[in-house]
Amino acid sequence: MSAESTCRRCDGPTAIKTRQANFCQPCFITFIQQKQRKAMEGCKVLFARPGCVLPPAINILVPISFGQSSLALLDMAHAQLEEQAKTYENAAGFTLNAVFIDCSEADPLEKEPNQIISELEKRFAHAKFTCIPLSKAFEGASSVTLKHNRDYTSFVSGISEEPTSVQQLLSCIGTKSAREDIISVLQRHLIIEEAKKQNESLPTTVAWGHNATRLAELTLSLTIKGRGNRIHAQVLEHKNPKDSISGLPEIHPLNDVLSYEIPFYNSFRNVSDLAVDTVSKPSQVTKNLSIDQLMHQYFENIQTNFPSIASTVVRTAAKLDDPNAAKQGLTPCLICASPVDPNQSLAWLTNITVNEPAAPETEEEEELSKKAHMEKSQEKTGDADRHLPVPNLCYGCIITIRDTDSFTFPKRASKQDILDEFTL
Amino acid sequence: MLCVLCECRKAMLKRPKTLQPICKPCFYNVFETEIHNTIVESNLFFPGERVAIGASGGKDSTVLAHVMKTLNERYNYGVDFVLLSIDEGIHGYRDDSLETVKRNKVQYDMDLEVVSYSELYGWSMDQIVAQIGNKNNCTYCGVFRRQALDRGSAKLGIAHIVTGHNADDMAETVLMNLLRGDTARLDRCTELVTGSDDSPVKRSKPLKYAYEKEIVLYAHYKKLDYFSTECTYSPEAFRGTARTLIKNLEAIRPSTIIDIIHSGEAFVLKKKKEKKGKGSVVVKAKVEEKPVPSGGCSVPLAFDSSLGLSNRCTKCGYLSHNAVCKACVLLEGLNAGRAKMQIEGDSADGAAKNIKTLEKLALSI
């Protein structure tokens, strides 16, 4: 066999050619797993003294979507546990919790979530699985209905003690991009809530399964949605909980693995068949895609000609700082809870998107304009909800709710809300 | 259908930024007011200031010149605008667009200064392309244009150039900087006024929030006289993908372009330790500009290597961090190969001219 077609490390048969090198199956698995092990350095088995193993001091929470990437991370973490159990007689350096946010009500999967989880439980015996329905985000929360004006301002048109439902929420969202945006906000919220719950019994680290290409897509789609200030929170690793907005360590063990490498890893490890896709497939017409879908397509296409592009974007994003770090007086956005400088985004928007008409020129125009004005002021007085508070929204959420007619969202009582209400 | 803004005139167009159906007078009003807001928000001009408009004869700079004149009269900025054009020497492209600028000079009653590459560097773009081929020629053109604009304004005694960069260009730059990993520019690329650490002339982009499509509509409805051909030496392929991406995104959600700019404005880089070196250069450049306080306007210093100032190019006296500035380095490379070139004959027409001739041939058949 010529040198070109054998593995760079062991001269075995080449199974994948990537990063300008040939790898055989075992060497590729090791190569990828080492990246994950390095990211999870703190997950080693602890000893009180030689021969005396301590119980795990860390909990790893892996959010799973049943996609290829999170499945690969789950397999890697699980392989690490298996190895630890084998080497040190049933010892473990960490506990492994896989959390699935069930969005099938909004976006059905090809299989029933419970069925998939029972298959995963068989394959990954050392991991615990939790399935949280998306509707949990609405439980016990009152609901707020928002409406937007012709300009970018919006107002609360009603607050109800009755929780809203997933169907109700999604039915009022007009575009795929806005729908996707809102679902991802809720998903992230539920994952972090679950992680905080688990953190109470054992220090928890959230290990996201995003690969480098996915992180690059996320960086660009956050930028495109006007959420550039969230890149620091969502794309960067925060090993120190103090830097993390969620207050928990968040890591991306696959941030150096490219999207096309993941299916190879999964097939070499015989876990590919466990991945499940959603029923709906992206449209063939560019105009009908969502922003995330378009970004996914962009990177899949450009990666063939410019293979280093995803890692370039991830490295660039890593240089960004939290833009709100030094700012005072920020309040959480009503929808996504990210810190907002009240009115700043709105002022910026209204300054560059003017809605003032040009003055009427003829008498006829003057008449019509007066009439329209009268009708409007009558409408205003008829609107009894005017006294309700002005919602505090971040830029990204202002843009998102413009894609809705009226938008009913669960109002989550924050710790501060409760304190404000009950402290005397 | 009535215009949603004034509710008294017939809607004539769907506004690209918001998709609102509006009438022409309201469109002119919102378009111009947004640019005015951008100018006022950052105190872009001061009364009595002389400002050069970088004019190429294309739609962006023609609309810029028209709107600047309109706003200057409407809101009494008290600014004296001058047109400044660069003649890169691309036959079939720049010679025609320069004719447009010359007509604009009359239409807008402004002075016009033309700086040509062949005068300044002894090379026209056509000659450069003939020598180096179709690769990297945007690098030459970009480096040379930057210096030519500075030298042009120095000649006019002007310290402020406004350029016609629009919102689409800004959004494209934000995405390109992310995709190429250009961290040095990442947090600064969306600034309205770009700094003067490597140029004595302040540059600003009053159209930075104006959509390209709205500029086209404005020029069309106002029947502005502009030249609409892209440079025939086409840009790099990678930038093309970012451009297509923006157009696709705009079709999905029209606000995308300003959303990207908003994100770009929120980018803050983590602090670096090596920043000290860079900071001191900035200070130096500013100190040198200071001793010309007459009338509140700092007139750029002449670019003369004999002044013996630090951080100047030893060959041409242009501002440079290195001993020799980028333009001189590029020129040296070009001049080294000039002898070979001249044997080929005196015709220096470039590809643009040839294509134009071919187009005409095809039409006459």
Side-chain angles (χ1 to χ4, degrees), chain A residues 131-205:
Chain A
C131 177
I132 302 170
L134 192 62
S135 57
K136 180 137 192 278
F138 306 89
E139 274 172 25
S142 49
S143 51
V144 185
T145 305
L146 294 177
K147 282 187 178 171
H148 63 85
N149 295 315
R150 192 177 61 198
D151 56 13
Y152 288 91
T153 57
S154 46
F155 57 93
V156 176
S157 73
I159 298 178
S160 156
E161 291 304 311
E162 283 295 300
T164 170
S165 70
V166 178
Q167 288 309 331
Q168 203 181 340
L169 173 75
L170 297 180
S171 67
C172 57
I173 304 179
T175 66
K176 279 185 191 162
S177 304
R179 183 188 157 98
E180 195 170 61
D181 196 40
I182 293 298
I183 292 177
S184 71
V185 164
L186 291 173
Q187 253 178 330
R188 196 180 163 81
H189 166 73
L190 287 173
I191 289 167
I192 299 297
E193 286 301 300
E194 174 64 22
K196 282 181 179 163
K197 205 174 98 192
Q198 294 188 9
N199 191 49
E200 283 166 16
S201 44
L202 194 61
T204 299
T205 295

Side-chain angles (χ1 to χ4, degrees), chain B residues 89-283:
Chain B
I90 303 175
H91 282 268
Y93 166 65
R94 187 51 90 214
D95 40 6
D96 289 359
S97 62
L98 274 175
E99 286 309 310
T100 320
V101 181
K102 281 174 194 159
R103 287 197 299 276
N104 288 342
K105 166 188 151 66
V106 182
Q107 287 154 0
Y108 302 135
D109 187 25
M110 291 176 187
D111 286 340
L112 168 67
E113 175 74 31
V114 181
V115 182
S116 81
Y117 278 10
S118 37
E119 232 172 75
L120 211 54
Y121 308 108
W123 286 85
S124 71
M125 266 320 280
D126 282 342
Q127 289 170 322
I128 293 173
V129 175
Q131 173 146 332
I132 61 161
N134 243 331
K135 235 179 169 186
N136 288 335
N137 42 42
C138 291
T139 312
Y140 284 82
C141 199
V143 170
F144 286 167
R145 185 181 304 105
R146 189 172 179 80
Q147 198 178 116
L149 277 171
D150 281 355
R151 287 183 182 274
S153 46
K155 202 168 158 191
L156 295 164
I158 285 177
H160 186 176
I161 304 177
V162 288
T163 54
H165 291 93
N166 59 42
D168 297 49
D169 298 332
M170 302 293 289
E172 184 185 306
T173 310
V174 174
L175 294 189
M176 281 295 287
N177 286 340
L178 276 174
L179 291 168
R180 277 195 309 214
D182 199 340
T183 29
R185 296 210 185 94
L186 193 56
D187 61 336
R188 285 173 30 204
C189 67
T190 47
E191 282 169 9
L192 174 68
V193 180
T194 40
S196 53
D197 62 330
D198 59 348
S199 162
V201 183
K202 177 168 123 181
R203 283 149 198 274
S204 59
K205 319 176 191 72
L207 301 186
K208 71 174 271 199
Y209 299 121
Y211 275 38
E212 188 176 24
K213 286 181 181 165
E214 298 196 356
I215 290 174
V216 173
L217 285 171
Y218 188 87
H220 173 75
Y221 287 125
K222 287 270 184 184
K223 297 196 174 60
L224 300 187
D225 181 5
Y226 70 92
F227 180 78
S228 59
T229 305
E230 294 269 326
C231 176
T232 353
Y233 302 131
S234 57
E236 35 170 342
F238 189 57
R239 187 171 273 276
T241 69
R243 189 135 268 235
T244 322
L245 180 64
I246 299 227
K247 295 286 167 240
N248 288 338
L249 286 166
E250 195 189 355
I252 293 175
R253 185 186 269 179
S255 70
T256 301
I257 291 170
I258 47 169
D259 299 346
I260 295 173
I261 301 176
H262 185 269
S263 290
E265 290 182 6
F267 288 161
V268 178
L269 288 179
K270 285 181 180 167
K271 284 198 182 78
K272 262 201 250 164
K273 278 168 196 161
E274 318 78 81
K275 238 183 173 175
K276 273 182 195 165
K278 210 180 169 193
S280 63
V281 174
V282 178
V283 173

Side-chain angles (χ1 to χ4, degrees), chain B residues 54-74:
Chain B
S56 66
K59 60 178 185 339
D60 297 307
S61 57
T62 307
V63 167
L64 179 67
H66 182 270
V67 174
M68 285 303 111
K69 185 180 164 66
T70 311
L71 295 178
N72 197 20
E73 285 163 5
R74 185 181 302 162

Side-chain angles (χ1 to χ4, degrees), chain A residues 1 3 12 16-17 26 80 97 157 163 168 200 217 245 252 275 288 314 318 328 332 340 346 371 389 412:
Chain A
M1 215 178 269
I16 172 175
K17 201 173 171 202
Q80 190 176 2
N97 265 288
S157 73
Q168 203 181 340
E200 283 166 16
E217 286 167 30
I245 290 187
H252 297 281
N288 295 337
V314 176
Q328 301 279 320
V340 198
L346 209 55
K371 212 175 120 196
R412 299 190 294 261

